[in-house]
């Protein structure tokens, strides 16, 4: 049985994994780069080892170094989190070769799903619906035109080694096939050193709905229902919710069965996600499988009442699943907002830097998975996520209102952030009605960007609060100052105080 886990990751997901280990009585080992010396995941773990300079390639992606630390610390297992080495077959293989358990699927499962053409073939054989298109890789323009004749335009040319939106080309006209094919191939070659591409019918205005699955080493597999992930921008998810507002019970169960079949087809072990693309008539097609724990996994945990990291560890220990499919239920509704250090006014450019003040929301049904404390500098080297705000409510309406309440309590100063932008999403009519697809952000862009007045006022409040705190510190904040201020500015002062937590 696993006694000590090395967490080969950083930030909020490292903290989240460590929390479950602690509850299971498992010791934890953190690894960190230069930029993460004072990161919360380092402080949270039982032991921590420096593994190199800040760039990921020299630290969190350095397989040799991480294996060395695992041996030095006596860790008997490695949890890769998401990103970094989580879907790396070399790492999974290397752990096994070194006698360290990799908390995740086999290299076989990762590779089979990582190659999209192979994944499509496997799914077809398993009876899982895939988007109409080619079975094998497309070699020539003639082959491309032949398949387009069958399925019709528009189509997408996709890189077999791609995924998550990389190496895709939308083709609307037959005369664009040649150039599109060439562009897709060269991009695929440059990005993945593999120029194989395939063709799928283009699904217009789709939903992105994914199913959480768990599979053990005894051949048992279950699904933990879906997550609706259509609120995204440039393939970056922003808000996820479960249940999906568009699925019926019948459709959900049918998709869940196909998700389980997909996992079984690659002899999957661990927690994984089957992504489906869903059209307006609720036709659904397998898109890809993510062979890792995902960023948005907590909404499933909130609604199904399962700790997915504990399940991963139990599966890695060779234990059979104790959860039974027909005993699982979705209770209530959960929403995740990804709070980022980014600037919505500059095309959502990452805005890392020192967080001078942070207050995270609390109260009934609110979970914040983060790692940032006041004074921490969000490194420029990694994803600038500040925290995931995960909210549960007994109904969808309650969880939206609770999300708005919690976002209002969320205060971050020092770095530009998207809290107000998230608030606008939760206020948007189409979101509130559950009437949205993957084009939601572009379709509602004017409404979503219209948060500036509010921001300006909060900037003013922060300045007032800072000034009053300064007066207080130098002993110049006289009691008579307060009644002397006008009713209007006194109100502003009180709001400034609640906004920043200043002591006056
Ligand atoms: C598609 C598609 C429409 N038709 N495939 C984007 C990410 C990658 N996983 C696959 N993606 C898409 N594949 C066909 N045949 C539309 C998308 C797509 C998308 C998918 C899921 C979530 C958001 C998206 C945003 C734009 C395009």
């Amino acid at each position: 049985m696993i006694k000590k886990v090395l967490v080969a990751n950083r930030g909020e997901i490292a903290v989240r994994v460590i929390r479950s280990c602690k509850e299971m009585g498992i010791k934890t080992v953190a690894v960190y780069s230069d930029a993460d010396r004072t990161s919360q995941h380092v402080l949270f773990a039982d032991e921590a080892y420096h593994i190199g300079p800040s760039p990921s390639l020299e630290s969190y992606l350095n397989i040799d170094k991480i294996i060395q630390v695992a041996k030095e610390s006596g860790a008997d297992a490695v949890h890769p989190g998401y990103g970094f080495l989580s879907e790396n077959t070399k790492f999974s293989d290397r752990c096994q070769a070194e006698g360290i358990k990799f908390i995740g699927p086999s290299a076989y499962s990762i590779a089979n799903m990582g190659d999209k053409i192979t994944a499509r073939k496997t799914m077809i054989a398993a009876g899982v619906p895939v988007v109409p298109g080619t079975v094998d890789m497309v070699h020539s323009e003639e082959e491309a035109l032949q398949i387009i004749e069958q399925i019709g335009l528009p189509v997408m040319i996709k890189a077999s080694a791609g995924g998550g939106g990389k190496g895709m080309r939308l083709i609307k006209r037959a005369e664009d096939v040649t150039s599109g094919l060439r562009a897709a191939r060269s991009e695929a070659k440059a990005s993945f050193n593999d120029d194989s591409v395939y063709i799928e019918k283009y699904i217009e205005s789709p939903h992105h709905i994914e199913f959480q699955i768990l599979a053990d080493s005894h051949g048992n597999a279950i699904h933990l229902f879906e997550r609706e992930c259509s609120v995204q921008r440039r393939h970056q998810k922003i808000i996820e919710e479960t249940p999906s507002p568009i699925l019926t019970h019948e459709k959900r169960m049918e998709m869940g069965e196909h998700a389980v079949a997909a996992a079984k087809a690659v002899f999957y072990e661990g927690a994984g996600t089957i992504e489906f693309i869903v059209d307006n008539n609720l036709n659904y097609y397998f898109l890809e499988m993510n062979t890792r724990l995902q960023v948005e996994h907590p909404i499933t945990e909130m609604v199904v009442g399962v700790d997915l990291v504990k399940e991963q560890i139990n599966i890695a220990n060779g234990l059979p699943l104790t959860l039974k499919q027909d005993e699982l239920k979705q209770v209530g509704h959960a929403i995740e907002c990804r709070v980022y250090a980014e600037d919505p006014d500059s095309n959502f450019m990452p805005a890392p830097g020192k967080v001078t003040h942070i207050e995270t929301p609390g109260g009934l049904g609110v979970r914040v998975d983060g790692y940032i404390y006041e004074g921490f500098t969000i490194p420029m080297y990694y994803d600038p996520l500040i925290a995931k705000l995960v909210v549960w409510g007994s109904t969808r309406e309650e969880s939206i209102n609770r999300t708005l309440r919690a976002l209002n309590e969320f205060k971050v100063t020092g770095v530009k952030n998207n809290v107000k932008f998230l608030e606008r999403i939760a206020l948007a009519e189409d979101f509130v009605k559950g009437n949205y697809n993957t084009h939601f952000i572009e379709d509602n862009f004017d409404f979503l960007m219209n948060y500036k007045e509010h921001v300006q006022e909060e900037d003013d409040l922060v300045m007032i609060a800072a000034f009053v705190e300064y007066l207080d510190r130098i002993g110049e904040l006289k009691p008579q100052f307060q009644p002397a201020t006008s009713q209007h500015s006194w109100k502003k002062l009180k709001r400034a105080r609640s906004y920043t937590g200043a002591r006056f």
Side-chain angles (χ1 to χ4, degrees):
M1 290 291 155
I2 294 168
K3 292 191 183 66
K4 197 186 239 190
V5 169
L6 181 148
V7 183
N9 214 302
R10 63 174 302 281
E12 72 84 18
I13 192 61
V15 170
R16 191 260 165 274
V17 170
I18 292 168
R19 283 183 167 137
S20 289
C21 290
K22 284 184 178 178
E23 291 178 21
M24 297 174 86
I26 295 171
K27 294 277 179 236
T28 53
V29 180
V31 292
Y32 61 94
S33 67
D34 284 349
D36 277 333
R37 280 180 191 282
T38 61
S39 183
Q40 197 182 57
H41 77 275
V42 174
L43 311 173
F44 249 56
D46 295 307
E47 299 166 51
Y49 293 78
H50 179 249
I51 51 167
S54 305
S56 308
L57 274 174
E58 298 170 62
S59 48
Y60 299 108
L61 291 172
N62 185 340
I63 293 179
D64 287 338
K65 187 74 194 177
I66 290 169
I67 295 287
Q68 183 199 322
V69 170
K71 296 193 143 177
E72 210 175 301
S73 63
D76 41 24
V78 169
H79 194 300
Y82 53 70
F84 297 126
L85 297 170
S86 61
E87 294 179 283
N88 186 309
T89 52
K90 282 198 196 109
F91 186 57
S92 167
D93 270 342
R94 181 76 187 278
C95 287
Q96 184 158 16
E98 303 278 354
I100 302 159
K101 279 187 176 133
F102 177 77
I103 302 174
S106 66
Y108 170 84
S109 300
I110 298 173
N112 199 301
M113 286 299 188
D115 184 272
K116 309 303 166 199
I117 293 175
T118 308
R120 270 172 67 84
K121 280 188 194 163
T122 311
M123 291 308 108
I124 292 166
V128 178
V130 300
V131 187
T134 53
V135 176
D136 284 299
M137 64 188 272
V138 173
H139 297 277
S140 65
E141 191 191 343
E142 290 72 46
E143 273 181 57
L145 289 168
Q146 205 179 329
I147 192 77
I148 288 169
E149 190 113 326
Q150 288 168 33
I151 62 177
L153 286 165
V155 297
M156 289 202 101
I157 304 179
K158 297 185 175 185
S160 187
K166 276 176 281 171
M168 298 191 326
R169 277 283 183 293
L170 172 60
I171 305 293
K172 291 184 172 161
R173 308 177 310 170
E175 54 263 46
D176 295 337
V177 169
T178 313
S179 61
L181 205 53
R182 196 182 312 123
R185 292 191 100 93
S186 71
E187 193 178 309
K189 180 79 189 166
S191 309
F192 316 112
N193 195 30
D194 174 357
D195 69 355
S196 16
V197 296
Y198 62 106
I199 294 180
E200 279 181 3
K201 176 147 190 63
Y202 179 63
I203 309 294
E204 315 245 6
S205 307
H207 279 252
H208 170 143
I209 299 179
E210 59 187 30
F211 274 71
Q212 177 69 52
I213 65 96
L214 286 172
D216 67 22
S217 55
H218 306 272
N220 306 303
I222 55 170
H223 70 85
L224 293 86
F225 311 102
E226 82 282 11
R227 295 183 287 262
E228 166 69 67
C229 303
S230 299
V231 179
Q232 53 80 45
R233 186 188 160 273
R234 304 210 176 153
H235 309 298
Q236 277 274 54
K237 294 167 189 162
I238 303 174
I239 290 190
E240 305 94 348
E241 64 174 315
T242 186
S244 165
I246 66 160
L247 288 190
T248 61
H249 177 74
E250 288 70 32
K251 190 60 73 172
R252 172 174 294 119
M253 290 309 163
E254 191 188 328
M255 291 174 78
E257 275 179 36
H258 276 137
V260 167
K264 285 186 171 171
V266 292
F267 310 103
Y268 200 79
E269 285 180 34
T273 300
I274 311 294
E275 286 185 15
F276 291 105
I277 192 166
V278 184
D279 73 15
N280 285 328
N281 301 316
L282 296 192
N283 297 309
Y284 62 90
Y285 310 96
F286 170 86
L287 210 49
E288 43 196 76
M289 179 175 192
N290 299 310
T291 54
R292 59 167 191 273
L293 188 71
Q294 288 197 259
V295 177
E296 60 272 25
H297 76 277
I299 57 173
T300 297
E301 297 185 322
M302 302 284 270
V303 160
V304 185
V306 171
D307 179 332
L308 289 170
V309 172
K310 281 187 189 168
E311 296 300 323
Q312 286 186 299
I313 292 171
N314 287 336
I315 291 166
N317 270 326
L319 298 173
L321 282 170
T322 55
L323 300 164
K324 300 273 175 289
Q325 187 70 64
D326 46 1
E327 290 168 11
L328 294 178
K329 242 179 74 179
Q330 291 171 298
V331 178
H333 195 96
I335 296 176
E336 172 180 278
C337 294
R338 299 191 187 187
V339 178
Y340 271 97
E342 65 182 15
D343 184 3
D345 291 327
S346 298
N347 206 19
F348 299 87
M349 202 179 12
K354 185 169 174 175
V355 175
T356 53
H357 185 76
I358 182 162
E359 275 173 59
T360 53
L364 179 60
V366 177
R367 162 177 174 182
V368 179
D369 276 22
Y371 77 110
I372 292 194
Y373 52 85
E374 193 159 309
F376 182 73
T377 297
I378 300 173
M380 56 171 288
Y381 299 93
Y382 323 109
D383 187 45
L385 185 73
I386 295 173
K388 303 185 306 203
L389 169 63
V390 188
V391 159
W392 180 89
S394 53
T395 61
R396 185 169 189 269
E397 187 185 10
E398 186 178 54
S399 66
I400 292 174
N401 291 334
R402 188 166 283 158
T403 294
L404 284 165
R405 185 271 289 173
L407 285 170
N408 188 253
E409 287 179 27
F410 212 123
K411 314 292 183 201
V412 185
T413 55
V415 293
K416 296 232 165 66
N417 63 78
N418 67 342
V419 170
K420 293 290 154 201
F421 184 74
L422 292 165
E423 209 165 73
R424 293 299 281 178
I425 295 176
L427 286 168
E429 192 181 331
D430 283 347
F431 182 80
V432 172
K433 287 184 170 160
N435 174 32
Y436 66 86
N437 58 43
T438 47
H439 300 303
F440 170 77
I441 298 289
E442 61 203 69
D443 288 350
N444 292 276
F445 206 66
D446 288 345
F447 179 87
L448 299 177
M449 291 305 288
N450 188 18
Y451 62 86
K452 291 210 189 88
E453 272 171 46
H454 205 62
V455 170
Q456 184 55 50
E457 191 193 357
E458 298 222 331
D459 283 350
D460 292 348
L461 293 174
V462 170
M463 278 205 297
I464 293 167
F467 180 63
V468 174
E469 189 172 8
Y470 165 74
L471 290 177
D472 188 23
R473 284 190 187 182
I474 64 171
E476 289 297 322
L477 184 66
K478 303 284 191 291
Q480 60 269 35
F481 175 71
Q482 294 176 2
T485 53
S486 73
Q487 197 58 31
H488 177 73
S489 47
W490 179 235
K491 258 194 187 151
K492 268 206 159 183
L493 269 176
K494 284 208 290 192
R495 289 193 48 209
R497 175 176 53 191
S498 82
Y499 186 69
T500 63
R503 300 172 289 104
F504 62 86

